[in-house]
């Protein structure tokens, strides 16, 4: 157990390493996110649900759902939502939420073609070794006319905020994580993975290349998070 608690993945994002790292943060994952985001995580989940524009009875795939806290938020719409994640420890930590959960690899989803009205992934796309493959897989399992919403950390639009944010990521965030997380080293990876992630426009191009149409994005909290939305024609 000691090895798991101090484990962090490399930026190569080998699936086993990433899954092991997230298993190590599972028990305190939700509270750690709330502390590190100063409570903004709740607003970001609400905004993601609104962007999906879900209707009662629709079928929704919440990919990289972790403990299912985002899935519970989506279920408020009356849609049928399934949480999928490849870290078994994360799913186990969220079992009490009583939403359908599936252990799944985002690059080879265990679902048939054209079965979901909407798919979404929050803060998980950048942890996948082949994010473009995952975007195509999400496209495959979505019905024609369905939509995608990707919530992901992004690039603050104002230079002063961008400077402060990057300083927080690389210096303050790991120190705060040491006081609240069960695996603080994982949050060093978190900071580094955000720093090298594509900006809003670059990610929009990648969604379009994966087949999604009408891709647009909306910045939250000054661009610290961006919601990208697209459709399957």
């Amino acid at each position: 157990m000691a090895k798991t608690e101090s484990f962090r993945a490399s930026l190569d994002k080998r699936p086993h390493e990433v899954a092991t790292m997230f298993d190590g943060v599972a028990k305190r994952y939700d509270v750690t996110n709330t502390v590190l985001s100063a409570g903004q995580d709740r607003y970001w989940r609400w905004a993601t649900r609104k962007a999906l524009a879900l209707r009662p009875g629709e079928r929704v795939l919440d990919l990289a759902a972790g403990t299912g806290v985002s899935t519970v938020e989506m279920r408020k719409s009356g849609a049928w939502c399934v949480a999928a994640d490849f870290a078994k420890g994360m799913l186990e930590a969220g079992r009490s939420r009583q939403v359908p959960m599936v252990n799944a690899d985002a690059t080879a989803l265990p679902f048939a073609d054209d079965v979901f009205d909407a798919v979404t992934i929050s803060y998980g796309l950048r942890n996948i070794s082949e994010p473009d493959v995952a975007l195509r897989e999400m496209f495959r399992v979505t019905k024609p006319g369905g939509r995608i919403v990707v919530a992901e950390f992004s690039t603050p639009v104002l230079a002063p905020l961008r400077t402060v944010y990057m300083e927080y990521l690389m210096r303050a965030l790991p120190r705060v994580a040491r006081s609240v997380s069960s695996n603080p080293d994982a949050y060093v990876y978190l900071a580094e993975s955000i720093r090298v992630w594509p900006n809003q426009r670059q990610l929009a191009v990648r969604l379009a290349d994966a087949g999604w149409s009408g891709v647009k994005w909306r910045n939250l909290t000054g661009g610290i998070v961006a919601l990208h939305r697209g459709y399957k024609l």
Side-chain angles (χ1 to χ4, degrees):
M1 183 59 131
K3 288 181 70 176
T4 299
E5 289 179 350
S6 62
F7 183 80
R8 55 160 294 188
S10 69
L11 291 180
D12 292 339
K13 302 174 186 176
R14 296 182 179 93
H16 175 71
E17 288 186 357
V18 175
T20 300
M21 182 183 69
F22 277 103
D23 284 347
V25 301
K27 289 184 179 179
R28 295 184 59 80
Y29 183 72
D30 295 329
V31 67
T32 301
N33 285 346
T34 298
V35 171
L36 294 178
S37 69
Q40 287 290 293
D41 59 322
R42 299 185 181 98
Y43 164 62
W44 296 337
R45 284 194 295 273
W46 174 85
T48 300
R49 174 167 63 87
K50 290 296 183 181
L52 282 162
L54 301 173
R55 296 182 290 274
E58 288 191 312
R59 297 172 64 86
V60 184
L61 172 61
D62 184 15
L63 191 56
T67 65
V69 65
S70 55
T71 320
V72 170
E73 175 68 35
M74 289 168 211
R75 194 173 58 180
K76 294 177 182 178
S77 65
W80 181 87
C81 308
V82 58
D85 201 289
F86 74 155
K88 293 181 180 178
M90 293 287 282
L91 296 173
E92 189 60 36
R95 288 295 179 191
S96 63
R97 294 203 162 98
Q98 298 182 333
V99 294
M101 290 184 166
V102 176
N103 184 225
D105 180 347
T107 63
L109 292 172
F111 306 108
D113 297 352
D114 306 333
V115 293
F116 291 103
D117 297 288
V119 296
T120 185
I121 183 168
S122 296
Y123 320 107
L125 188 63
R126 92 183 173 283
N127 298 319
I128 299 170
S129 59
E130 298 179 283
D132 298 316
V133 175
L135 288 171
R136 291 195 294 271
E137 273 291 275
M138 286 185 271
F139 184 83
R140 177 184 66 79
V141 302
T142 302
K143 297 177 181 178
R147 63 266 188 211
I148 186 174
V149 170
V150 176
E152 189 54 87
F153 293 108
S154 197
T155 304
V157 292
L158 298 177
L161 175 60
R162 189 158 58 244
T163 300
V164 170
Y165 177 58
M166 290 303 170
E167 184 75 8
Y168 170 72
L169 279 180
M170 302 312 298
R171 295 181 182 271
L173 185 147
R175 289 201 298 270
V176 175
R178 279 195 288 273
S179 67
V180 293
S181 173
S182 55
N183 182 6
D185 284 351
Y187 289 86
V188 177
Y189 160 86
L190 171 73
E192 292 176 349
S193 66
I194 293 171
R195 185 176 60 174
V196 300
W197 185 245
N199 64 25
Q200 291 89 325
R201 189 172 301 279
Q202 291 166 339
L203 183 55
V205 169
R206 293 175 77 159
L207 265 81
D209 287 345
W212 297 98
S213 299
V215 177
K216 297 180 180 179
W217 70 86
R218 174 191 171 200
N219 289 314
L220 303 179
T221 318
I224 289 175
V225 165
L227 298 181
H228 283 72
R229 180 171 176 163
Y231 299 87
K232 179 175 179 177
L233 296 180

Short mmCIF file of all heavy atoms in Angstrom, two decimals, residues 52 61 63 109 114-121 125 131-150 203-216 228-233:
data_model
loop_
_atom_site.label_atom_id
_atom_site.label_comp_id
_atom_site.label_asym_id
_atom_site.label_seq_id
_atom_site.Cartn_x
_atom_site.Cartn_y
_atom_site.Cartn_z
N LEU A 52 -24.66 20.11 -21.49
CA LEU A 52 -25.16 18.89 -22.12
C LEU A 52 -26.63 18.99 -22.52
O LEU A 52 -27.07 18.29 -23.42
CB LEU A 52 -24.98 17.69 -21.17
CG LEU A 52 -23.56 17.13 -21.09
CD1 LEU A 52 -23.41 16.27 -19.83
CD2 LEU A 52 -23.23 16.30 -22.33
N LEU A 61 -23.37 8.74 -21.35
CA LEU A 61 -22.13 8.11 -20.90
C LEU A 61 -21.26 9.17 -20.25
O LEU A 61 -20.88 10.15 -20.89
CB LEU A 61 -21.39 7.48 -22.07
CG LEU A 61 -19.98 6.95 -21.77
CD1 LEU A 61 -20.01 5.84 -20.72
CD2 LEU A 61 -19.30 6.46 -23.06
N LEU A 63 -17.76 9.48 -19.02
CA LEU A 63 -16.49 8.78 -19.14
C LEU A 63 -15.44 9.40 -18.21
O LEU A 63 -15.46 10.61 -17.98
CB LEU A 63 -16.02 8.83 -20.59
CG LEU A 63 -14.85 7.94 -21.00
CD1 LEU A 63 -15.12 6.48 -20.69
CD2 LEU A 63 -14.57 8.12 -22.49
N LEU A 109 -14.07 1.31 -25.92
CA LEU A 109 -15.27 1.29 -25.09
C LEU A 109 -16.09 0.03 -25.30
O LEU A 109 -16.29 -0.41 -26.45
CB LEU A 109 -16.13 2.52 -25.38
CG LEU A 109 -15.53 3.87 -24.94
CD1 LEU A 109 -16.38 5.03 -25.45
CD2 LEU A 109 -15.39 3.93 -23.43
N ASP A 114 -23.63 3.90 -31.70
CA ASP A 114 -24.86 4.70 -31.74
C ASP A 114 -25.84 4.37 -30.62
O ASP A 114 -27.05 4.22 -30.86
CB ASP A 114 -25.57 4.49 -33.09
CG ASP A 114 -24.68 4.77 -34.29
OD1 ASP A 114 -23.73 5.57 -34.16
OD2 ASP A 114 -24.91 4.17 -35.35
N VAL A 115 -25.36 4.30 -29.36
CA VAL A 115 -26.27 3.94 -28.27
C VAL A 115 -26.54 5.08 -27.28
O VAL A 115 -27.53 5.02 -26.55
CB VAL A 115 -25.75 2.71 -27.49
CG1 VAL A 115 -25.79 1.48 -28.35
CG2 VAL A 115 -24.34 2.96 -26.95
N PHE A 116 -25.71 6.11 -27.27
CA PHE A 116 -25.89 7.18 -26.28
C PHE A 116 -26.37 8.47 -26.95
O PHE A 116 -25.92 8.82 -28.04
CB PHE A 116 -24.58 7.46 -25.54
CG PHE A 116 -24.15 6.33 -24.63
CD1 PHE A 116 -23.14 5.46 -25.02
CD2 PHE A 116 -24.77 6.14 -23.41
CE1 PHE A 116 -22.75 4.42 -24.19
CE2 PHE A 116 -24.39 5.10 -22.58
CZ PHE A 116 -23.38 4.24 -22.97
N ASP A 117 -27.24 9.17 -26.25
CA ASP A 117 -27.69 10.49 -26.73
C ASP A 117 -26.63 11.56 -26.47
O ASP A 117 -26.59 12.57 -27.18
CB ASP A 117 -28.99 10.88 -26.02
CG ASP A 117 -30.12 9.92 -26.31
OD1 ASP A 117 -30.63 9.95 -27.44
OD2 ASP A 117 -30.49 9.13 -25.41
N ALA A 118 -25.82 11.33 -25.47
CA ALA A 118 -24.76 12.29 -25.13
C ALA A 118 -23.62 11.56 -24.45
O ALA A 118 -23.83 10.56 -23.75
CB ALA A 118 -25.30 13.39 -24.23
N VAL A 119 -22.41 12.07 -24.65
CA VAL A 119 -21.23 11.56 -23.94
C VAL A 119 -20.49 12.75 -23.36
O VAL A 119 -20.51 13.85 -23.93
CB VAL A 119 -20.30 10.75 -24.86
CG1 VAL A 119 -20.98 9.49 -25.37
CG2 VAL A 119 -19.78 11.59 -26.02
N THR A 120 -19.83 12.52 -22.25
CA THR A 120 -19.09 13.60 -21.62
C THR A 120 -17.89 13.03 -20.89
O THR A 120 -17.90 11.87 -20.46
CB THR A 120 -19.99 14.40 -20.64
OG1 THR A 120 -19.27 15.52 -20.12
CG2 THR A 120 -20.48 13.53 -19.49
N ILE A 121 -16.88 13.84 -20.75
CA ILE A 121 -15.68 13.46 -20.00
C ILE A 121 -15.17 14.71 -19.30
O ILE A 121 -15.01 15.76 -19.93
CB ILE A 121 -14.62 12.82 -20.90
CG1 ILE A 121 -13.41 12.37 -20.08
CG2 ILE A 121 -14.20 13.74 -22.04
CD1 ILE A 121 -12.45 11.47 -20.86
N LEU A 125 -9.73 13.51 -20.13
CA LEU A 125 -9.20 13.32 -21.48
C LEU A 125 -7.69 13.45 -21.50
O LEU A 125 -6.99 12.70 -22.18
CB LEU A 125 -9.83 14.33 -22.44
CG LEU A 125 -9.52 14.12 -23.93
CD1 LEU A 125 -10.06 12.78 -24.43
CD2 LEU A 125 -10.09 15.26 -24.77
N PRO A 131 -5.64 10.32 -26.50
CA PRO A 131 -6.90 11.07 -26.41
C PRO A 131 -7.67 11.16 -27.72
O PRO A 131 -8.91 11.19 -27.71
CB PRO A 131 -6.46 12.45 -25.91
CG PRO A 131 -5.00 12.53 -26.22
CD PRO A 131 -4.48 11.15 -26.13
N ASP A 132 -6.98 11.17 -28.84
CA ASP A 132 -7.69 11.25 -30.13
C ASP A 132 -8.45 9.96 -30.41
O ASP A 132 -9.54 9.99 -30.97
CB ASP A 132 -6.69 11.55 -31.25
CG ASP A 132 -6.00 12.90 -31.07
OD1 ASP A 132 -6.70 13.87 -30.73
OD2 ASP A 132 -4.78 12.96 -31.26
N VAL A 133 -7.88 8.83 -30.02
CA VAL A 133 -8.60 7.56 -30.14
C VAL A 133 -9.84 7.57 -29.26
O VAL A 133 -10.92 7.14 -29.66
CB VAL A 133 -7.68 6.37 -29.78
CG1 VAL A 133 -8.47 5.06 -29.78
CG2 VAL A 133 -6.51 6.29 -30.74
N ALA A 134 -9.70 8.10 -28.04
CA ALA A 134 -10.84 8.18 -27.13
C ALA A 134 -11.94 9.07 -27.69
O ALA A 134 -13.14 8.74 -27.59
CB ALA A 134 -10.39 8.70 -25.77
N LEU A 135 -11.57 10.18 -28.32
CA LEU A 135 -12.58 11.06 -28.92
C LEU A 135 -13.32 10.35 -30.05
O LEU A 135 -14.54 10.54 -30.22
CB LEU A 135 -11.92 12.34 -29.43
CG LEU A 135 -11.44 13.33 -28.37
CD1 LEU A 135 -10.61 14.44 -29.00
CD2 LEU A 135 -12.63 13.91 -27.60
N ARG A 136 -12.60 9.53 -30.81
CA ARG A 136 -13.26 8.77 -31.88
C ARG A 136 -14.16 7.68 -31.31
O ARG A 136 -15.23 7.40 -31.87
CB ARG A 136 -12.21 8.18 -32.83
CG ARG A 136 -11.48 9.22 -33.66
CD ARG A 136 -10.72 8.60 -34.83
NE ARG A 136 -9.63 7.74 -34.40
CZ ARG A 136 -8.39 8.17 -34.18
NH1 ARG A 136 -8.09 9.46 -34.32
NH2 ARG A 136 -7.44 7.33 -33.82
N GLU A 137 -13.74 7.06 -30.22
CA GLU A 137 -14.57 6.06 -29.57
C GLU A 137 -15.86 6.68 -29.03
O GLU A 137 -16.95 6.10 -29.14
CB GLU A 137 -13.81 5.38 -28.43
CG GLU A 137 -12.98 4.20 -28.86
CD GLU A 137 -13.86 3.04 -29.28
OE1 GLU A 137 -14.29 2.25 -28.43
OE2 GLU A 137 -14.15 2.92 -30.50
N MET A 138 -15.75 7.86 -28.45
CA MET A 138 -16.94 8.56 -27.96
C MET A 138 -17.87 8.91 -29.12
O MET A 138 -19.10 8.83 -28.99
CB MET A 138 -16.54 9.80 -27.17
CG MET A 138 -15.96 9.47 -25.80
SD MET A 138 -15.62 10.94 -24.79
CE MET A 138 -13.94 11.29 -25.30
N PHE A 139 -17.28 9.28 -30.24
CA PHE A 139 -18.07 9.55 -31.44
C PHE A 139 -18.79 8.29 -31.90
O PHE A 139 -19.98 8.32 -32.23
CB PHE A 139 -17.14 10.07 -32.54
CG PHE A 139 -17.84 10.49 -33.79
CD1 PHE A 139 -18.40 11.75 -33.91
CD2 PHE A 139 -17.94 9.62 -34.88
CE1 PHE A 139 -19.05 12.14 -35.09
CE2 PHE A 139 -18.58 9.99 -36.04
CZ PHE A 139 -19.14 11.26 -36.15
N ARG A 140 -18.11 7.17 -31.87
CA ARG A 140 -18.69 5.89 -32.34
C ARG A 140 -19.93 5.50 -31.53
O ARG A 140 -20.93 5.06 -32.09
CB ARG A 140 -17.63 4.79 -32.24
CG ARG A 140 -18.14 3.40 -32.64
CD ARG A 140 -17.10 2.32 -32.45
NE ARG A 140 -16.74 2.10 -31.06
CZ ARG A 140 -17.49 1.39 -30.20
NH1 ARG A 140 -18.66 0.87 -30.57
NH2 ARG A 140 -17.08 1.23 -28.94
N VAL A 141 -19.86 5.65 -30.21
CA VAL A 141 -20.96 5.16 -29.37
C VAL A 141 -22.10 6.16 -29.24
O VAL A 141 -23.13 5.85 -28.63
CB VAL A 141 -20.45 4.76 -27.97
CG1 VAL A 141 -19.37 3.70 -28.06
CG2 VAL A 141 -19.97 5.96 -27.16
N THR A 142 -21.96 7.34 -29.83
CA THR A 142 -23.00 8.37 -29.78
C THR A 142 -23.93 8.25 -30.98
O THR A 142 -23.49 8.03 -32.10
CB THR A 142 -22.36 9.77 -29.75
OG1 THR A 142 -21.49 9.87 -28.62
CG2 THR A 142 -23.42 10.86 -29.64
N LYS A 143 -25.23 8.42 -30.72
CA LYS A 143 -26.22 8.38 -31.79
C LYS A 143 -26.05 9.57 -32.74
O LYS A 143 -25.62 10.65 -32.31
CB LYS A 143 -27.63 8.44 -31.21
CG LYS A 143 -28.03 7.29 -30.32
CD LYS A 143 -29.42 7.54 -29.75
CE LYS A 143 -29.88 6.43 -28.83
NZ LYS A 143 -31.21 6.71 -28.25
N PRO A 144 -26.41 9.42 -34.00
CA PRO A 144 -26.48 10.60 -34.87
C PRO A 144 -27.40 11.65 -34.26
O PRO A 144 -28.50 11.32 -33.78
CB PRO A 144 -27.05 10.03 -36.17
CG PRO A 144 -26.63 8.59 -36.17
CD PRO A 144 -26.70 8.16 -34.72
N GLY A 145 -26.96 12.88 -34.25
CA GLY A 145 -27.72 13.93 -33.59
C GLY A 145 -27.33 14.12 -32.14
O GLY A 145 -27.76 15.09 -31.50
N GLY A 146 -26.54 13.20 -31.60
CA GLY A 146 -26.10 13.30 -30.22
C GLY A 146 -24.97 14.30 -30.05
O GLY A 146 -24.44 14.84 -31.01
N ARG A 147 -24.56 14.52 -28.81
CA ARG A 147 -23.56 15.56 -28.56
C ARG A 147 -22.53 15.10 -27.54
O ARG A 147 -22.75 14.14 -26.80
CB ARG A 147 -24.20 16.86 -28.11
CG ARG A 147 -24.96 16.82 -26.79
CD ARG A 147 -26.42 16.56 -27.01
NE ARG A 147 -27.22 16.69 -25.80
CZ ARG A 147 -28.32 15.99 -25.58
NH1 ARG A 147 -28.75 15.11 -26.46
NH2 ARG A 147 -29.02 16.18 -24.47
N ILE A 148 -21.44 15.84 -27.52
CA ILE A 148 -20.35 15.62 -26.58
C ILE A 148 -20.08 16.92 -25.84
O ILE A 148 -20.22 18.01 -26.40
CB ILE A 148 -19.07 15.16 -27.31
CG1 ILE A 148 -17.96 14.79 -26.32
CG2 ILE A 148 -18.57 16.23 -28.28
CD1 ILE A 148 -16.72 14.19 -26.96
N VAL A 149 -19.71 16.80 -24.56
CA VAL A 149 -19.17 17.93 -23.80
C VAL A 149 -17.91 17.45 -23.10
O VAL A 149 -17.94 16.46 -22.37
CB VAL A 149 -20.17 18.49 -22.78
CG1 VAL A 149 -19.49 19.49 -21.85
CG2 VAL A 149 -21.35 19.15 -23.49
N VAL A 150 -16.82 18.13 -23.37
CA VAL A 150 -15.55 17.85 -22.71
C VAL A 150 -15.26 18.99 -21.75
O VAL A 150 -15.13 20.14 -22.17
CB VAL A 150 -14.40 17.73 -23.74
CG1 VAL A 150 -13.07 17.52 -23.01
CG2 VAL A 150 -14.66 16.60 -24.72
N LEU A 203 -7.61 22.13 -28.80
CA LEU A 203 -8.47 21.00 -28.45
C LEU A 203 -9.70 20.97 -29.37
O LEU A 203 -10.16 19.89 -29.76
CB LEU A 203 -8.91 21.08 -26.99
CG LEU A 203 -9.76 19.91 -26.50
CD1 LEU A 203 -9.07 18.57 -26.73
CD2 LEU A 203 -10.12 20.08 -25.02
N ALA A 204 -10.23 22.13 -29.72
CA ALA A 204 -11.37 22.17 -30.64
C ALA A 204 -11.03 21.52 -31.98
O ALA A 204 -11.85 20.80 -32.56
CB ALA A 204 -11.81 23.62 -30.85
N VAL A 205 -9.82 21.77 -32.47
CA VAL A 205 -9.38 21.15 -33.72
C VAL A 205 -9.33 19.64 -33.58
O VAL A 205 -9.73 18.89 -34.49
CB VAL A 205 -7.99 21.71 -34.13
CG1 VAL A 205 -7.40 20.90 -35.28
CG2 VAL A 205 -8.11 23.18 -34.52
N ARG A 206 -8.88 19.15 -32.44
CA ARG A 206 -8.79 17.71 -32.25
C ARG A 206 -10.17 17.06 -32.18
O ARG A 206 -10.36 15.94 -32.68
CB ARG A 206 -7.96 17.41 -30.99
CG ARG A 206 -6.51 17.82 -31.18
CD ARG A 206 -5.66 17.67 -29.93
NE ARG A 206 -5.28 16.29 -29.68
CZ ARG A 206 -4.25 15.95 -28.93
NH1 ARG A 206 -3.50 16.89 -28.37
NH2 ARG A 206 -3.96 14.69 -28.73
N LEU A 207 -11.13 17.73 -31.59
CA LEU A 207 -12.50 17.20 -31.59
C LEU A 207 -13.04 17.14 -33.02
O LEU A 207 -13.66 16.14 -33.42
CB LEU A 207 -13.42 18.07 -30.73
CG LEU A 207 -13.62 17.59 -29.29
CD1 LEU A 207 -12.45 18.02 -28.41
CD2 LEU A 207 -14.93 18.09 -28.71
N ALA A 208 -12.81 18.18 -33.79
CA ALA A 208 -13.28 18.19 -35.17
C ALA A 208 -12.61 17.08 -35.98
O ALA A 208 -13.26 16.41 -36.80
CB ALA A 208 -13.02 19.56 -35.80
N ASP A 209 -11.33 16.88 -35.77
CA ASP A 209 -10.61 15.82 -36.48
C ASP A 209 -11.14 14.43 -36.12
O ASP A 209 -11.04 13.49 -36.93
CB ASP A 209 -9.12 15.89 -36.15
CG ASP A 209 -8.41 17.07 -36.81
OD1 ASP A 209 -9.00 17.67 -37.73
OD2 ASP A 209 -7.27 17.38 -36.40
N ALA A 210 -11.72 14.29 -34.93
CA ALA A 210 -12.29 13.01 -34.51
C ALA A 210 -13.70 12.79 -35.06
O ALA A 210 -14.29 11.74 -34.83
CB ALA A 210 -12.32 12.93 -32.99
N GLY A 211 -14.24 13.79 -35.78
CA GLY A 211 -15.54 13.63 -36.41
C GLY A 211 -16.63 14.52 -35.88
O GLY A 211 -17.71 14.61 -36.47
N TRP A 212 -16.39 15.19 -34.76
CA TRP A 212 -17.42 16.03 -34.16
C TRP A 212 -17.65 17.31 -34.94
O TRP A 212 -16.69 17.93 -35.41
CB TRP A 212 -17.06 16.35 -32.72
CG TRP A 212 -16.98 15.12 -31.85
CD1 TRP A 212 -15.86 14.43 -31.49
CD2 TRP A 212 -18.08 14.42 -31.27
NE1 TRP A 212 -16.19 13.36 -30.71
CE2 TRP A 212 -17.55 13.31 -30.56
CE3 TRP A 212 -19.47 14.62 -31.28
CZ2 TRP A 212 -18.36 12.41 -29.87
CZ3 TRP A 212 -20.28 13.73 -30.59
CH2 TRP A 212 -19.73 12.65 -29.89
N SER A 213 -18.90 17.70 -35.09
CA SER A 213 -19.26 18.89 -35.87
C SER A 213 -19.66 20.05 -34.95
O SER A 213 -20.07 19.84 -33.81
CB SER A 213 -20.44 18.57 -36.80
OG SER A 213 -20.09 17.55 -37.71
N GLY A 214 -19.57 21.26 -35.50
CA GLY A 214 -20.02 22.45 -34.78
C GLY A 214 -19.33 22.65 -33.45
O GLY A 214 -19.95 23.11 -32.49
N VAL A 215 -18.05 22.35 -33.37
CA VAL A 215 -17.34 22.40 -32.09
C VAL A 215 -17.16 23.86 -31.64
O VAL A 215 -16.65 24.70 -32.39
CB VAL A 215 -15.98 21.70 -32.18
CG1 VAL A 215 -15.23 21.83 -30.86
CG2 VAL A 215 -16.16 20.24 -32.56
N LYS A 216 -17.58 24.13 -30.43
CA LYS A 216 -17.39 25.44 -29.81
C LYS A 216 -16.95 25.23 -28.37
O LYS A 216 -17.11 24.14 -27.82
CB LYS A 216 -18.70 26.25 -29.84
CG LYS A 216 -19.19 26.58 -31.24
CD LYS A 216 -20.48 27.38 -31.18
CE LYS A 216 -20.99 27.72 -32.59
NZ LYS A 216 -22.26 28.49 -32.55
N HIS A 228 -15.89 22.22 -24.01
CA HIS A 228 -15.99 22.06 -25.47
C HIS A 228 -17.21 21.22 -25.79
O HIS A 228 -17.42 20.16 -25.17
CB HIS A 228 -14.74 21.36 -26.02
CG HIS A 228 -13.55 22.26 -26.12
ND1 HIS A 228 -12.85 22.70 -25.00
CD2 HIS A 228 -12.92 22.80 -27.20
CE1 HIS A 228 -11.85 23.49 -25.41
NE2 HIS A 228 -11.87 23.55 -26.73
N ARG A 229 -18.00 21.68 -26.74
CA ARG A 229 -19.23 20.99 -27.12
C ARG A 229 -19.24 20.75 -28.62
O ARG A 229 -18.80 21.61 -29.41
CB ARG A 229 -20.47 21.79 -26.71
CG ARG A 229 -21.78 21.12 -27.08
CD ARG A 229 -22.96 21.82 -26.47
NE ARG A 229 -24.22 21.21 -26.92
CZ ARG A 229 -25.40 21.37 -26.34
NH1 ARG A 229 -25.49 22.12 -25.26
NH2 ARG A 229 -26.48 20.80 -26.82
N GLY A 230 -19.73 19.58 -29.03
CA GLY A 230 -19.85 19.26 -30.45
C GLY A 230 -21.00 18.30 -30.68
O GLY A 230 -21.60 17.79 -29.72
N TYR A 231 -21.30 18.03 -31.95
CA TYR A 231 -22.43 17.19 -32.34
C TYR A 231 -21.97 16.10 -33.31
O TYR A 231 -20.99 16.28 -34.04
CB TYR A 231 -23.52 18.04 -33.01
CG TYR A 231 -24.09 19.12 -32.12
CD1 TYR A 231 -23.49 20.37 -32.05
CD2 TYR A 231 -25.21 18.87 -31.34
CE1 TYR A 231 -24.00 21.35 -31.23
CE2 TYR A 231 -25.74 19.85 -30.51
CZ TYR A 231 -25.13 21.09 -30.46
OH TYR A 231 -25.63 22.07 -29.64
N LYS A 232 -22.72 15.03 -33.33
CA LYS A 232 -22.51 13.98 -34.33
C LYS A 232 -23.60 14.09 -35.38
O LYS A 232 -24.77 13.89 -35.08
CB LYS A 232 -22.55 12.58 -33.66
CG LYS A 232 -22.35 11.45 -34.65
CD LYS A 232 -22.28 10.12 -33.94
CE LYS A 232 -22.11 8.96 -34.91
NZ LYS A 232 -21.95 7.64 -34.21
N LEU A 233 -23.23 14.43 -36.58
CA LEU A 233 -24.23 14.58 -37.65
C LEU A 233 -24.65 13.22 -38.19
O LEU A 233 -23.94 12.23 -38.06
CB LEU A 233 -23.64 15.42 -38.79
CG LEU A 233 -23.31 16.88 -38.42
CD1 LEU A 233 -22.74 17.61 -39.63
CD2 LEU A 233 -24.56 17.60 -37.89
#
